[in-house]
Amino acid sequence: MFETAFGVCGVAWSEAGIVALQLPEADRAATEARLGRFASLRAEGKPPPATAAAIADLQRYFDGAEVDFAGIELDLGGASDAHRRFLDAARHVRWGETVTYGGLARSAGTPGAARVVGQAMARNPVPIVIPCHRVLASGDRLGGFSAYGGTVQKERLLVLERIRLAL
């Protein structure tokens, strides 16, 4: 668990990389409980150096710094091949940029799979690092967000990145 300007976050990791990132919940206990889904993985104790560096980057991000998370090692072994393809494509959406679900489907080589992209983003185990908050509905509308706080939290993250949505 670690403090950020948005609240307490948590990470779980394996030897291969970060497996899960838990965004702040209503309070620390709720964040810990949600991260507990990954109880078989390391989420307590001293993180390895690469994970500690990722935590520092996340803290800087939540403070408003433009951070590139592309170099963070992830362990997405729990994702299906189809979802992994969309998660990988979402990693290329940079700070301050957005893409629609349909646009992400096209960039991943699967035009017409916008709904599957939405499912993959809803199951994203490492939000922010894989920036599902930057994936919008058609017409650059917010769409959904499965993290605590829903679309209010999604909009807050977009505002942090100085992204303005069309009204």
Side-chain angles (χ1 to χ4, degrees), residues 6 18 48 56 78 82 84 87 104 109-110 158:
F6 274 42
I18 294 177
R84 191 174 298 123
L87 293 170
L104 192 62
T110 316
L158 295 171

Side-chain angles (χ1 to χ4, degrees), residues 56-70 93-97 128 134 160-162:
D57 283 347
L58 285 158
Q59 289 170 318
R60 288 181 35 252
Y61 171 83
F62 284 111
D63 283 339
E66 182 176 341
V67 178
D68 180 1
F69 297 109
V93 181
R94 297 290 169 227
W95 193 94
E97 298 176 357
I128 309 302
R134 297 176 188 152
L160 178 76
E161 296 184 22
R162 298 169 195 82

